[in-house]
Structure formats: structure tokens, C-alpha cells
Amino acid sequence: MTQTCESCCWRDDSEHRRIEEIESKQGEIGCLEKTEGKSRRLLTAMASRDKAYVILTKASQSVGWVRAGSICYIKENLYSLNYQKKDTVPVICIGSSITYNLPLDILQPLSRQKSEFLLAVESCEERLKEFTQSEALDQAMELTVGSEVTVAQNGEWLKGVIRYIGPLSDPGVLDPIAGVFFGVELQGEDKGKGQSDGTYRYKSHFKCQKDCGVFVPFTRIRPLHPKLSAPWAGIPENLTQTLSVGDRVTYILDDKSDCQHGMVLNPMKDGMILISTDTDEHGKAGGEREIPWHCVIKEEDLNTGDWHKCKPERMDISDSPDMVKDPGADVALKVGSVVEVNLAKGPAFATVRWIGSLPDRPSRMAGLELKEACGVSDGTFKDVRYFTCAPKHGLFVKVSSCRPGDRFLGETAVNGHFGHDGQDIPAVPPLRSEDVKTVLTGTMKGIQGHCNSCYMDSALFSLFSCSSVLDSLLFKKTKPNDEPIQKTLLRDIVCPLRSKGFVPEKSVMKLRKQVQERGHCPSYTTDEKDPEEFLTLIMQDILSLEPLLKLKSCNQPKGLTEMEQTSYLYQIFMDYNHSLVLPTVQQLLEHSFYNNGIKLAEVPSCLILTMPRSGKQFKMFPKIIPSLQLDITALLSNGLQQCVLCGQLAHVECSQCFTDSVFSSTGLKVFCDMCSTQVHFHPSRQSHKPTSLRFPEGFPHSCSPGSLAHTVPQEKLELFAVLCIETSHYVSFVKYGPKITDWIFFDSMADRVGETDGFNIPEVKACPEVARYLSMPLAELAKQVPREMDGVAKRLFCDGYMYLYQSPSMALYR
């Protein structure tokens, strides 16, 4: 039966007649296969057309650059009966004008229609896979303009109607055909989720509202109402309509397939059923798979009929690999219990929210709230609510399929676990320096970037890959509505990063969605943010961490109660009248504290500094030297310090001497009483006004000379990461070990595969070359031309934006 329409000009009557002629000769071809082999089928098909289309099932050994999955054609004038006696045939690959003689045994004939559908698939590997499996291709052959379908778009299946079937561009100069796409107008609640108004590259193929049209290959389209096929012929149709979550089912995809078994995870959605399969199509360990509903039947219904050839060996959901029964579990469980269930993706932890009976289910059932979004409901079953949880976090299973979760959990932090609202979560310490190169470095390592996430990727990698200074964020008590964010941060990001060296983009997107749903910002899943904004949000607004910095004013009038300022990060501000040319972070911090008249009230566990710059473009300094150690002794408001001249206990501080060129360019100037008298006897310093230092409570102000010489403890912080920015893209450096060469460089978007539907490739690589510049004399470093610096060193010295320091004594793991 032929079918034509304006948008299906590629499906002409003459082509249909040729196809019908070929199909009418199937009996003859079958005889040829028995007597002369498969190659004669191809030659017979060729003799009936002006062009015959084929697909390469394997790469040719003689023509290695022609890949398996390539679509080729054979011109009528290239064919002769002489080739019936040969084992090769001349073909021309689409996109090329060269004729190759390829073996017949690696060629499979195609109709023109299938060839055009397959050409829309860019990857040769995926093209060959779709040809081999053929299910989606066969379904697409039945679709016409006006068919109701679902379309895969941005991770969702959207409802729509086909408005166009055809090529999006003209064939190549020498090509007879081009790839055929489906133009779909999105419908209902999915309107506005598309990409066009029916126009593709300035050419209109159909008309619809703005952002309601999409163009997709057949691999991303499915019929909304698939036609019934023959696997369950003879079985009453109503038996396939009563499937529920947790049902054991049997399915057959076609009359050539064996029966396969699994469990229903999500029934009756868009004509498909999501099934957790016992085994995949290759007989290996199962996974999740969407199966057309008409190919599925409940095992208990099947067992009541006469279809013994498909009778499964196992009928009880609790005995399947998807849900493993634990003797005695039924007795031990109660509402609030933590349990484990084995899904196809692996073990999943959940909390029991409801126990009871469900309609048409004889077994006792448990309503579970899963820790991760791998469920199918929000606590409702057949439109009746039994408990409340987040969407896709709810699952109803037999009670006997649950296992108590406490057996898998540790007891104390000593055993590597930490308490968390009644459930312990395994703690993974940061990577040891000797393990970094084997676990963390390479491509597809670190955190995968996606959709302007580099600010978050770099910040999380810097904080947690090799440092534990802020691990208290992961285990502290937090508000119930913020627990999912904390658990995502721990389970989906920090633990995989430290154990496997890789975090997929979906894990970071999950965190971004949770933050957005929390109401903090409506664009957290799409727009670029500043890392300090993100870190402050996590530490202050969401997880309510105690402020990292406590600051005191040096200009507080006597007699007034000292007021403390608190913060999570410190922004360095500089006076434009400074004399610094090639500053260190130490100098910048001291100048900023001096200009603002502040000091630290106590030693911070983590000090996060952002450099002086205006926005993302203007930088006050072309280069900044990272200080591997930050001496904060002189920046403490209440501590012991040494005289900068003699090393005795200091009693006074002079802010005017700080800018005096006679003294060292680093360090606030503190003196003992004797040295202060001598220093300020000079005429140029007689106008200075030194101030008395404050000592710890109970410490004697006067000590015998030399009693504390060279014994005053120094408070120093260690640099462990640097975030850099250039042209709106964030990357990071991490100091992972004690050696000066122990540096790694991380870029969450170092490379990319594909365009709109592609993905980013993150990379972590060792960068020992920065050690050369860190140990270089200042005069020589100042002369270095940034673009000529080795490796990625230029980015560390020229693009430094945020510097992260930690107190060695405050680390969680030591």
C-alpha cells in the first residue's frame, strides 16, 4: 500500500513499486539462499532496481577506512551479471564518490526508506546497532504525518504529533539520498520545550508556535499507541492491562526471541513499561529496559493459562535477582526502619514509610522512601496516597523483599562511618598523595561539566578531592528539608570522587536541581554563578556551618565591648596607592587587613580568599605568587608575637611602620619595648603612634629578656587549592602532597564529544612544572612571558581567583 504526502516526497510511488517487486521475490530469494548462499540475495535485489542500498556489517580488511555501519549504494551501470560469479561487488559510500569493491559477506541489503532513516543517525556504531536490533526502525516505518508520538528531548519523553517526515537538507552533490528526520510539534504540557517553530536552518518544513517544534532521527521517537504484535496471540488482552509496580512479568519482543523475565518499575507510560530485567538481550546481568506494553504479561496470569513454553522457573518477586528475600525480614521491619533492596542498578537504601495491604496484592507490602531518585512514585499507588515523599523516591514492594539496613552500617567514626539521623553513611577519606596519579588523573576523571557548571565543578573538586578540612559539612546535623542536598553532596559527589576518581555530570545536576527547588535561585541549573556565591550558599544558607572567619576591628575605642564580624570567605581589597608589583598572597592579605583595620579573632580551620579584581575581566595584578604557607601569627588579635628585629616577645605594633620602605615588605611590624624605642627615635618615625599588643588572658606582660626568644609559636596555614578563571571558565589547581611538585590541574570541560547531544570530557593531569616558577627568584619570575610559561603554569600565576588554605591541625582525617 503506497502512501504519499507533501512532506514525504522521498516516498514516491515508483520506489514503492520497486520495493514491492523485491518483496514479491522473497520466496525465490529464499531458495537462492539455500543453494547459492546469502550473497545471491543481494545480487537478485540489485538486479531489480536502478540503485541498491546496503549497510556494512563489518569493516573491510582491504579498505580499512570504510567503517562498519556505513550506508552504500550500487549504481545500475556498475552492476553486471559477471558479478554473480564473484565474491565482491562495487559500492559507493554515501558522502563519497569513490567506488570500492567490497566482499558480499559483509553487506546487507536495505530498502531506500530504511537507508534514509539510518542516515539520520550520525554514529556508524549506533547505526549498525539500530539496524541489527531493528525494533525501533521497524516501528518508525509505520509512522506517518499525523501520528501521535513521544520524543526524547533533554532527558525527557515529550508528547507530540508528527508534522513532517523528510530530509533537512539536500543530498550531497553525488549522493542519491539524504538522512530523513521526523519533525514533531509538541503538544499539551510539553509545549514550549522544543527548539524551533518548524524551521530548520532558515528553511520552514512545517509551522507551529515558537519552541514547540523538534527535529529528531527515528532513534528518538516512539509511537504513542504502538500496534499490537503477535507474541501474546491467544492471551486475553485484559491480562496485559493489570500490571502494577513490583509485578513479576514475562516479555517477548518478537516471535524469534526467547521469553525473558523481570519486574515492573513503572507501568503503562506512553505505551511503554519500565522493567528491571533478570538478564539483558545478551544473557548477561540485567538492567532497566523499556518494553512495549503489548509485549508484556504478568507471570501469575501466564501461569494460569496453557502457554507452558514461557512458564518461568521463578514466580515470586522475592526470589528474583531484582528483589532478594531475607528470611525473617518481615518480622523485624516496622515503619521508620532503614532497609536495603536490590534493584537492577544495584543495592538501594530506603526508609519504610508504610506497611499494609494493597488492592489485588495478597502479600504484605511496604511503601519505601528511597534515598536516591530511582523509584517510580511520590508515595501514591493507583492514584491513592499511602505516604508522602519526593517524586521518584517512592516504591512499593513486598515486605519479604526488604533487608534490614543496619547490618551494612558501621558503629562509630573509628570504623569509618558517621551517624546521620539514625543511618550511618560510609566515610571515604581524601585521596592519599601516593594514590592521586593512579585514581584521579587522566581523561574522564574529576567532575564532569555540563551546562555552565564549571564554577561548581571546580569548587567541589578543590574542596573535597584531597582535603578534609570542610568534611564537617557532610556529616553535621542539618534541617530535614536540607538533608537531601547534604546526602547528594556526600553520596553522589564526594564519595565517588574520592573512591573512583570520577563524578558524572548528572550527579552535579542533581545537586543543582535540589538547590534550585529549595528556592535559592531559579537559574541554578542553567546559568553560570560565582564560586563564592555557591560556597556561601552551601555553608551558610543550606547546611548552616559555623562561620569560618571571626574578625575584630583594630580601631575599636577603649571601653566598648568588642564586636566580632563573621564570614565564610574573605575578599581582599587593595588601596590603589600600594607599592606592590609582583605580590604574594601573604602580602595581599596583610595589606588588606591593614587597610581595613581588622584582625583575626581566632585561627580559622579554613581560609578562603578571593583576589582583588573587578568582575571577571579586570585584574589588579598581572601575576600573583601563591604563598604555599600563610603566616597569620601577626594577623591574630590576641596572640604572642616576636619582635621583628630581635626576636624577643613583642609588646607593641606600629601600623605606620608597615608601609615604611626600610623594613621588609612582608609582615606587620611588631616590636619589643626596647626595639620600638630605638626605631621610633628616628626623626622620620617620631610621629608614629605604636599601639600595645593584647596578650592571652593571664599571660604576664613582662618577661625576662631572652626567656621567650625564638620560642613564640608561629600560626601557619597551608595552601591546598587555587581556583582560576579566564574568559568566564573556571578551572582549579590542587596541592595534593608535601613535595613542591605535587600539583594537579583540573578542567571539567577539557574536551567535548558531539554538539547539542554530546557531552563534556573532564580531565585531571599532573602539573609539576609549576614548581619551577614557585621556586624562581622574583626578578626572573617578573620577566616571564605568560604565553611562554611551561604547561598550565601560566593559569596558576595569571588567572588565580580564589585561594584555599587549611589549618593542618583541623583536618578530619590525619
Side-chain angles (χ1 to χ4, degrees), residues 139 150 159 222-227 266-274 290-296:
Q139 281 188 341
T150 57
K159 293 183 180 180
R222 291 173 179 163
L224 184 60
H225 307 293
K227 296 181 179 180
N266 192 3
M268 310 307 291
K269 181 180 180 181
D270 297 336
M272 306 296 287
I273 299 177
L274 182 63
E290 291 186 352
I291 307 295
W293 65 267
H294 59 273
C295 297
V296 179

Side-chain angles (χ1 to χ4, degrees), residues 55-56 67-71 115 117-131 181 217-219 753-754 757 759:
I55 184 171
L56 272 68
R67 301 171 61 188
S70 297
I71 305 294
S115 300
F117 280 162
L118 289 169
L119 275 178
V121 180
E122 292 185 2
S123 165
C124 286
E125 292 80 4
E126 185 181 358
R127 191 183 297 156
L128 183 58
K129 175 185 173 183
E130 294 297 337
F131 168 76
F181 293 79
F218 75 91
T219 53
V753 172
D757 296 329
F759 58 89

Side-chain angles (χ1 to χ4, degrees), residues 226-434:
K227 296 181 179 180
L228 286 173
S229 56
W232 304 118
I235 298 181
E237 184 175 335
N238 64 317
L239 292 183
T240 64
Q241 303 287 342
T242 58
L243 297 174
S244 303
V245 174
D247 282 339
R248 286 288 301 173
V249 293
T250 295
Y251 62 94
I252 303 177
L253 294 177
D254 55 58
D255 55 2
K256 298 179 182 179
S257 301
D258 295 330
C259 293
Q260 299 183 61
H261 314 293
M263 180 191 72
V264 175
L265 292 181
N266 192 3
M268 310 307 291
K269 181 180 180 181
D270 297 336
M272 306 296 287
I273 299 177
L274 182 63
I275 293 178
S276 176
T277 63
D278 294 357
T279 58
D280 63 16
E281 60 269 30
H282 305 296
K284 298 180 180 179
E288 293 182 3
R289 189 175 183 186
E290 291 186 352
I291 307 295
W293 65 267
H294 59 273
C295 297
V296 179
I297 187 170
K298 197 187 307 185
E299 287 187 348
E300 59 189 74
D301 292 335
L302 184 64
N303 195 36
T304 62
D306 298 324
W307 307 279
H308 300 294
K309 70 171 185 176
C310 291
K311 180 179 178 180
E313 296 179 2
R314 295 171 300 192
M315 289 296 180
D316 193 342
I317 183 175
S318 61
D319 292 335
S320 77
D322 300 289
M323 300 297 248
V324 181
K325 184 175 181 179
D326 181 50
D330 195 344
V331 179
L333 297 187
K334 59 183 180 180
V335 174
S337 295
V338 176
V339 297
E340 182 193 34
V341 289
N342 280 352
L343 301 176
K345 59 177 283 186
F349 287 95
T351 302
V352 178
R353 298 303 186 195
W354 173 87
I355 295 177
S357 299
L358 292 175
D360 305 322
R361 301 307 301 264
S363 303
R364 290 188 71 209
M365 303 294 291
L368 305 181
E369 180 181 2
L370 296 160
K371 299 301 180 183
E372 299 179 359
C374 53
V376 295
S377 78
D378 60 355
T380 60
F381 184 84
K382 291 187 176 180
D383 299 326
V384 177
R385 180 168 298 282
Y386 293 87
F387 64 95
T388 301
C389 66
K392 294 188 178 181
H393 282 257
L395 186 66
F396 292 88
V397 299
K398 294 181 180 179
V399 171
S400 58
S401 299
C402 304
R403 294 187 291 180
D406 53 2
R407 74 177 70 186
F408 304 99
L409 308 175
E411 297 177 358
T412 65
V414 177
N415 291 330
H417 297 74
F418 291 80
H420 190 87
D421 292 345
Q423 180 183 353
D424 289 348
I425 302 174
V428 179
L431 286 165
R432 300 179 303 172
S433 57
E434 57 266 33

Side-chain angles (χ1 to χ4, degrees), residues 32-185:
L32 285 171
E33 286 183 335
K34 294 179 182 179
T35 58
E36 299 179 334
K38 182 181 68 175
S39 63
R40 302 298 165 248
R41 177 184 179 186
L42 174 60
L43 295 175
T44 302
M46 289 165 48
S48 302
R49 309 190 206 180
D50 58 347
K51 290 182 181 67
Y53 297 92
V54 295
I55 184 171
L56 272 68
T57 57
K58 292 191 298 185
S60 171
Q61 295 181 354
S62 59
V63 188
W65 53 88
V66 179
R67 301 171 61 188
S70 297
I71 305 294
C72 304
Y73 67 96
I74 306 167
K75 290 184 178 179
E76 184 178 18
N77 58 8
L78 289 178
Y79 172 76
S80 72
L81 293 177
N82 292 332
Y83 278 102
Q84 295 188 21
K85 300 178 181 179
K86 295 185 179 182
D87 294 327
T88 62
V89 69
V91 301
I92 302 174
C93 291
I94 300 295
S96 171
S97 60
I98 303 174
T99 302
Y100 302 103
N101 286 320
L102 298 182
L104 283 166
D105 59 357
I106 67 170
L107 303 177
Q108 285 286 350
L110 287 173
S111 68
R112 173 171 176 159
Q113 186 180 359
K114 286 187 176 181
S115 300
E116 290 169 321
F117 280 162
L118 289 169
L119 275 178
V121 180
E122 292 185 2
S123 165
C124 286
E125 292 80 4
E126 185 181 358
R127 191 183 297 156
L128 183 58
K129 175 185 173 183
E130 294 297 337
F131 168 76
T132 304
Q133 294 182 349
S134 76
E135 180 184 345
L137 184 57
D138 291 340
Q139 281 188 341
M141 299 278 285
E142 302 292 335
L143 297 175
T144 61
V145 171
S147 294
E148 295 182 337
V149 293
T150 57
V151 180
Q153 182 78 357
N154 297 327
E156 296 183 86
W157 282 95
L158 311 178
K159 293 183 180 180
V161 175
I162 296 176
R163 300 301 187 198
Y164 171 78
I165 304 176
L168 298 182
S169 59
D170 295 331
V173 176
L174 299 176
D175 293 335
I177 59 174
V180 164
F181 293 79
F182 290 83
V184 178
E185 180 182 2

